[in-house]
């Protein structure tokens, strides 16, 4: 009986270690979604191992669990810059069944962002893009054969012939002319992680992202947490970092809130984020403020 209990105590620390293995197998990123909780259980089980006589293994589990959970908890409370930042970015997954985007239109007008990135766009949501015509000269929708897709808008003018629409891969990009020069605005919608095809999707779109010359700003429903290999791969390809602290945006199966909607800005640029209301969707929106120009 004691041996069985000890074996159970080893499970959370092993799963926690595996959650850092997204670069080896996509299952690692699926486990990374729950790393905060795995870290807590690893810590508790480590204490159990110590009392069971497995002192070295138990101490290792305690330290690993404390470090993993502590780093994630810190990311939720990391300091953010105060004061004015030149650009604002509104990121929102609409939800495919959303018929009336009036609340979201009102919220966009209230927040008055420079960039807007949208996922789960359908023809029935087109009233949103119509409502943005007056203030946003750049507007683009990219729908697949099933009538679902992604969209973006910006108050800055489009650079001609720059549009990249990949509805089957959840990517839309347009280069716009900002006061700091040309900037690529990208909206991204990734699939769920393993056992679904998120890792393969990222592999297919990385060459496109790497080919975007110049600064990139990106908003998306990543269906993945900030401390994942997926996030690292996309940040590296676009020469960006996630803006601000960690914010929860989606409730999984009515049980666990997870941070899976993000805004990325050029590496080294300061920024802050806040979560917005659901407004009829199942995803909280994200409002980001950041700089683009002379970043370290």
């Amino acid at each position: 009986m004691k041996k069985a209990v000890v074996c159970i105590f080893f499970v959370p620390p092993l799963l926690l270690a595996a959650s850092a293995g997204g670069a080896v197998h996509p299952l690692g990123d699926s486990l990374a979604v729950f790393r905060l909780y795995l870290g807590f259980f690893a810590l508790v089980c480590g204490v159990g191992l110590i009392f069971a006589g497995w002192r070295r293994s138990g101490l290792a589990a305690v330290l690993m669990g404390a470090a993993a959970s502590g780093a994630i908890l810190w990311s939720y409370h990391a300091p953010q810059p105060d004061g004015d930042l030149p650009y604002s970015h509104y990121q929102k997954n609409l939800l495919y069944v959303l018929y009336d985007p009036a609340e979201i239109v009102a919220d966009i007008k209230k927040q008055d962002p420079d960039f807007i990135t949208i996922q789960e766009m359908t023809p029935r949501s087109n009233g949103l893009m119509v409502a943005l015509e007056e203030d946003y000269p750049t507007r683009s929708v990219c729908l697949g054969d099933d009538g679902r897709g992604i969209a973006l808008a910006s108050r800055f003018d489009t650079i001609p012939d720059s549009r990249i629409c990949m509805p089957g891969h959840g990517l839309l990009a347009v280069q716009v002319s900002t006061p700091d020069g040309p900037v690529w605005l990208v909206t991204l919608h990734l699939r769920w992680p393993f056992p679904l095809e998120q890792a393969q999707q990222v592999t297919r779109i990385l060459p496109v992202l790497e080919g975007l010359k110049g600064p990139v700003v990106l908003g998306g429903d990543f269906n993945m947490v900030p401390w994942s290999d997926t996030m690292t791969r996309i940040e590296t390809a676009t020469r960006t970092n996630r803006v601000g602290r960690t914010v929860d945006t989606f409730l999984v199966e009515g049980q666990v809130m997870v941070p899976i909607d993000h805004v990325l800005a050029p590496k080294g640029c300061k920024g802050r984020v806040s979560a917005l209301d659901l407004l009829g969707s199942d995803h909280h929106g994200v409002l980001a403020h950041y700089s683009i120009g002379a970043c370290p």
Side-chain angles (χ1 to χ4, degrees), residues 27-295:
L27 176 60
D29 270 4
S30 297
L31 292 172
V33 174
F34 306 103
R35 186 179 296 170
L36 174 63
Y37 308 99
L38 289 173
F40 173 76
F41 287 121
L43 193 157
V44 172
C45 290
V47 173
L49 286 169
I50 291 172
F51 280 102
W54 294 71
R55 291 181 176 82
R56 291 184 179 178
S57 297
L59 181 60
V62 167
L63 293 176
M64 186 169 61
S69 296
I72 293 173
L73 290 173
W74 166 253
S75 75
Y76 278 93
H77 302 282
Q80 301 193 114
D82 295 322
D84 292 334
L85 291 166
Y87 298 96
S88 57
H89 189 140
Y90 190 101
Q91 154 58 30
K92 182 68 174 179
N93 180 314
L94 295 180
L95 182 62
Y96 287 130
V97 299
L98 182 66
Y99 284 89
D100 183 5
E103 282 189 303
I104 295 174
V105 169
D107 197 44
I108 289 175
K109 291 184 179 296
K110 174 185 174 183
Q111 305 296 345
D112 194 30
D114 299 296
F115 305 112
I116 301 168
T117 46
I118 299 291
Q119 298 81 44
E120 299 201 16
M121 185 78 181
T122 66
R124 71 172 67 97
S125 307
N126 198 51
L128 169 61
M129 304 307 286
V130 173
L132 299 178
E133 284 180 353
E134 182 176 350
D135 298 318
Y136 294 89
T138 290
R139 299 177 311 285
S140 186
V141 177
C142 179
L143 301 181
D145 294 336
D146 59 358
R148 299 179 176 187
I150 46 189
L152 58 76
S154 174
R155 65 173 68 260
F156 305 113
D157 292 332
T158 305
I159 293 178
D161 302 319
S162 64
R163 182 175 182 268
I164 300 171
C165 171
M166 301 175 66
H169 301 305
L171 186 147
L172 171 64
V174 171
Q175 197 173 32
V176 296
S177 182
T178 76
D180 287 288
V183 172
W184 282 99
L185 173 61
V186 181
T187 179
L188 186 63
H189 192 187
L190 297 184
R191 300 185 180 97
W192 281 97
F194 180 85
L196 300 185
E197 297 181 349
Q198 183 180 104
Q200 295 91 323
Q201 180 188 7
V202 172
T203 297
R204 288 191 290 266
I205 66 174
L206 279 185
V208 178
L209 295 174
E210 291 169 346
L212 301 178
K213 304 302 182 185
V216 175
V217 297
L218 188 155
D221 172 7
F222 284 64
N223 279 314
M224 183 46 61
V225 292
W227 45 87
S228 61
D229 181 64
T230 287
M231 179 67 76
T232 299
R233 296 173 75 192
I234 292 174
E235 287 177 326
T236 300
T238 55
R239 306 165 302 281
T240 60
N241 285 129
R242 183 174 58 90
V243 177
R245 61 172 56 129
T246 300
V247 292
D248 286 329
T249 59
F250 185 74
L251 187 64
V252 179
E253 298 296 331
Q255 300 295 324
V256 181
M257 282 293 291
V258 290
I260 61 173
D261 299 81
H262 312 293
V263 173
L264 311 183
K267 187 175 294 186
C269 292
K270 294 181 179 180
R272 62 176 179 269
V273 295
S274 58
L276 302 172
D277 293 334
L278 290 172
L279 302 177
S281 175
D282 56 348
H283 286 248
H284 290 272
V286 175
L287 182 66
H289 295 83
Y290 50 76
S291 55
I292 293 177
C295 301

